[in-house]
Amino acid sequence: MRLELKSHVVLVSFMIIWVCLCQVSWLLGAKVRHFEWEVEYMYGAPDCLEGVVIGINGQFPGPTVRAQVGDTVSVALTNKLSTEGVVIHWHGIRQRGTPWADGTASISQCAINPGETFHYRFLVERSLLMNGRGQFNCSMASGLINTTLAQCNFRGNEQCAPQILHVLPNNTYRIRIASSTALASLNFAIGNHKMVVVEADGNYVQPFTVEDIDIYSGESYSVLLTTNQDPTQNYWIAIGVRGRKPKTPQALTILNYKPTWASKLPPVPPPITPLWNNYTHSKSFSQKVLALVGSPKPPKKAQRRVLLLNTQNKINGFTKWAINNVSLSLPTTPYLGSLKYNLRNAFDFKSPPESFPIEYDIMKPPMNPNSTIGNGVYVFKMKQVVDVILQNANALDENVSEIHPWHLHGHDFWVLGYGEGKFRGREDEQKFNLKNPPIKNTAVIFPYGWTALRFRADNPGVWAFHCHIEPHLHMGMGVVFAEGVRHVRGIPKEAINCGLIGKIPLNMNNTNN
């Protein structure tokens, strides 16, 4: 699926929106954009190897949604899969007033079962996009790099053939990049060109110049690219794996300077991705991301602090991830309905732990690796200012601590700072950046380190906060936040009519108390 939520409009591959700043046109007046989507199995070969994929309306990636800020997107989504439920999470859309449209099964809505149709309807307030093509068995630059892969030879009509990015000399382009990876972090670079970072997760930042960008799962950035190089040549665009040892070659495509032929390959090797475990490089980039002058500043003090320790554990012999020694397991009844109607037997109403033992040694594997399963919720008062300290630790194996990008639904937050080792309370709090912290919805915690976030609980609903690495989430690395659920009005019956709520009287489903 590809989703474009701005009116300036060329969409290309590798999760990029490509915009020439000198040719921007805006649509006038907010509109309702109606779509009917059918989710179904189909055959596809996006990486040159044919297999079964999940497409929308017979397309993989799925259809593009074009809309601008202020529009309403209305999607009738029908599940035509035979054996599994479906939801769509609109990453980065805060869903103010429509928490049931967030697309998180068991949290904000029921899964859409085979044969069912669910209507998503929400106001557009961000950019969001997904795309993807690649090659696993050949390299476009095999003659220029040390590889055993054969040279790619494409006619151009293959599903896995790279989409060439066409530009004109001496123009400035805005590139919007988003990572929808399920596991790896990425590094993005364009040969012979520097980029100016201007936006992160839909919020403007102080511009700074880079030669490459580390981007973690769930993050998005905008960069400005000026096409000021030799117009008789083409240039590599390279994407490589970061954060874990790569088992796949770099993804490559061509930046084509028109009118040069797009088939003319660059004469030099593509940019080399930094070593997968060069975290100094990653930290340097993250610490340069600062809010643009005039951006909203964070409240000076928090009213509540939650410390979340990320650990790898065992439950019944299976490897899990846990937060404060609780591995998240979602209930069958969506939290939004359970809290709205006070169904106290739908999940554990006891609040999860808000900290971890002060003596816990984050530099070593857990002394007791056993964890427990839980499904409690952190409930905040409306408009309460909350600090979240994400604390990383050693995994089950010695000398292993992984990167975790954490994504918060329904909100943006201020990234107040990063630190090494264990968070030291007031001592580290005095180092928080309250002057110009970036505003984001996804932030990373580095190995053996901590990341401090601050947000205001001002969006009534129930919201997931989780590691954006998909296997980590499914293995329990997540928590659930709730605020002001009693203020939520007009929840569609189809959103929560499952589990225990499916057994209560119909008129209760329509109650707006």
Side-chain angles (χ1 to χ4, degrees):
M1 182 186 67
R2 302 172 295 181
L3 179 61
E4 178 189 338
L5 300 179
K6 286 277 186 176
S7 61
H8 39 269
V9 310
V10 181
L11 182 67
V12 292
S13 189
F14 296 112
M15 302 163 290
I16 296 170
I17 285 183
W18 192 260
V19 179
C20 181
L21 295 186
C22 58
Q23 297 177 353
V24 173
S25 62
W26 295 91
L27 299 176
L28 298 177
K31 298 181 178 180
V32 179
R33 312 283 180 173
H34 293 279
F35 303 91
E36 293 185 1
W37 289 354
E38 293 184 344
V39 180
E40 55 194 338
Y41 299 115
M42 56 181 288
Y43 285 101
D47 62 352
C48 298
L49 184 66
E50 187 174 66
V52 176
V53 299
I54 295 177
I56 297 178
N57 292 356
Q59 301 178 48
F60 182 89
T64 299
V65 172
R66 289 186 172 88
Q68 70 176 32
V69 172
D71 287 352
T72 295
V73 170
S74 178
V75 177
L77 185 74
T78 300
N79 181 5
K80 299 191 75 174
L81 306 180
S82 57
T83 60
E84 52 191 316
V86 166
V87 296
I88 289 184
H89 168 56
W90 312 90
H91 185 101
I93 302 293
R94 288 178 289 185
Q95 300 293 352
R96 290 192 177 277
T98 53
W100 54 85
D102 189 49
T104 47
S106 297
I107 295 179
S108 63
Q109 71 168 103
C110 305
I112 307 167
N113 292 320
E116 293 181 346
T117 298
F118 183 82
H119 292 82
Y120 288 102
R121 188 180 177 92
F122 57 87
L123 186 68
V124 172
E125 60 172 357
R126 286 287 188 274
S127 254
L128 174 81
L129 54 147
M130 291 184 239
N131 207 341
R133 290 188 180 190
Q135 308 85 45
F136 78 98
N137 59 353
C138 65
S139 171
M140 295 176 63
S142 65
L144 300 171
I145 59 176
N146 183 18
T147 180
T148 59
L149 293 174
Q151 176 71 33
C152 292
N153 293 301
F154 293 114
R155 297 185 302 274
N157 58 352
E158 299 90 347
Q159 187 177 357
C160 62
Q163 291 182 345
I164 305 299
L165 308 184
H166 304 285
V167 296
L168 295 172
N170 300 314
N171 277 279
T172 296
Y173 292 82
R174 180 177 182 176
I175 313 172
R176 311 196 76 169
I177 313 162
S179 174
S180 58
T181 59
L183 187 64
S185 304
L186 301 176
N187 181 268
F188 176 86
I190 302 176
N192 285 55
H193 292 75
K194 293 186 177 181
M195 298 171 285
V196 179
V197 180
V198 295
E199 174 257 322
D201 288 355
N203 298 285
Y204 287 110
V205 300
Q206 295 181 21
F208 63 98
T209 302
V210 295
E211 294 185 352
D212 61 81
I213 291 178
D214 275 354
I215 182 168
Y216 301 97
S217 181
E219 286 190 313
S220 63
Y221 288 97
S222 281
V223 300
L224 300 183
L225 175 76
T226 300
T227 53
N228 55 7
Q229 299 300 303
D230 182 355
T232 67
Q233 299 292 336
N234 292 325
Y235 301 89
W236 293 113
I237 295 178
I239 299 177
V241 173
R242 300 279 282 122
R244 59 184 58 245
K245 197 168 184 177
K247 297 181 180 179
T248 185
Q250 284 183 301
L252 297 174
T253 190
I254 298 295
L255 180 70
N256 167 229
Y257 271 61
K258 289 185 174 181
T260 301
W261 287 101
S263 58
K264 182 179 180 180
L265 295 181
V268 297
I272 298 175
T273 305
L275 289 176
W276 68 272
N277 57 355
N278 182 351
Y279 299 121
T280 301
H281 184 88
S282 304
K283 294 173 185 177
S284 174
F285 175 82
S286 296
Q287 290 167 354
K288 292 177 183 176
V289 181
L290 300 170
L292 187 67
V293 174
S295 299
K297 294 183 182 295
K300 293 183 177 180
K301 292 185 179 180
Q303 298 164 307
R304 186 169 169 185
R305 173 182 289 169
V306 178
L307 285 84
L308 301 179
L309 174 67
N310 294 237
T311 57
Q312 194 177 48
N313 299 85
K314 292 282 187 179
I315 296 180
N316 297 326
F318 294 97
T319 300
K320 296 284 188 179
W321 291 95
I323 305 301
N324 294 349
N325 207 42
V326 177
S327 184
L328 180 64
S329 179
L330 296 174
T332 57
T333 304
Y335 289 106
L336 183 61
S338 300
L339 287 169
K340 178 69 175 177
Y341 301 118
N342 199 32
L343 302 181
R344 303 189 68 87
N345 55 342
F347 67 93
D348 185 358
F349 263 63
K350 181 181 177 182
S351 181
E354 300 207 2
S355 63
F356 57 93
I358 192 171
E359 66 273 11
Y360 190 95
D361 189 347
I362 68 163
M363 305 303 294
K364 296 180 180 179
M367 292 184 63
N368 179 4
N370 295 316
S371 183
T372 185
I373 289 176
N375 58 19
V377 176
Y378 294 93
V379 179
F380 303 121
K381 296 178 181 178
M382 271 300 294
K383 299 186 179 180
Q384 190 173 33
V385 178
V386 181
D387 275 3
V388 176
I389 311 298
L390 293 166
Q391 176 69 66
N392 214 340
N394 201 102
L396 288 172
D397 294 332
E398 293 276 358
N399 302 315
V400 174
S401 184
E402 298 186 21
I403 274 184
H404 302 291
W406 275 73
H407 171 57
L408 177 59
H409 294 216
H411 306 76
D412 284 341
F413 49 67
W414 291 275
V415 184
L416 302 184
Y418 306 89
E420 307 289 338
K422 186 187 293 187
F423 182 72
R424 295 170 293 182
R426 183 176 295 274
E427 182 178 350
D428 284 325
E429 183 179 351
Q430 293 175 350
K431 303 175 185 176
F432 285 174
N433 175 13
L434 301 180
K435 179 182 177 182
N436 55 3
I439 303 170
K440 302 193 69 191
N441 58 54
T442 303
V444 65
I445 45 172
F446 295 103
Y448 301 108
W450 55 266
T451 298
L453 314 174
R454 180 169 293 175
F455 75 98
R456 193 183 298 275
D458 59 359
N459 191 7
V462 187
W463 310 104
F465 183 43
H466 61 93
C467 178
H468 210 272
I469 295 175
E470 189 171 353
H472 292 186
L473 170 61
H474 290 296
M475 294 164 68
M477 187 177 274
V479 295
V480 178
F481 292 164
E483 70 238 29
V485 175
R486 65 186 180 88
H487 297 294
V488 177
R489 298 288 185 267
I491 304 175
K493 180 183 68 174
E494 60 184 342
I496 57 174
N497 196 28
C498 59
L500 296 179
I501 296 179
K503 302 176 182 179
I504 63 178
L506 184 63
N507 62 348
M508 187 175 183
N509 285 348
N510 295 322
T511 301
N512 284 326
N513 59 347

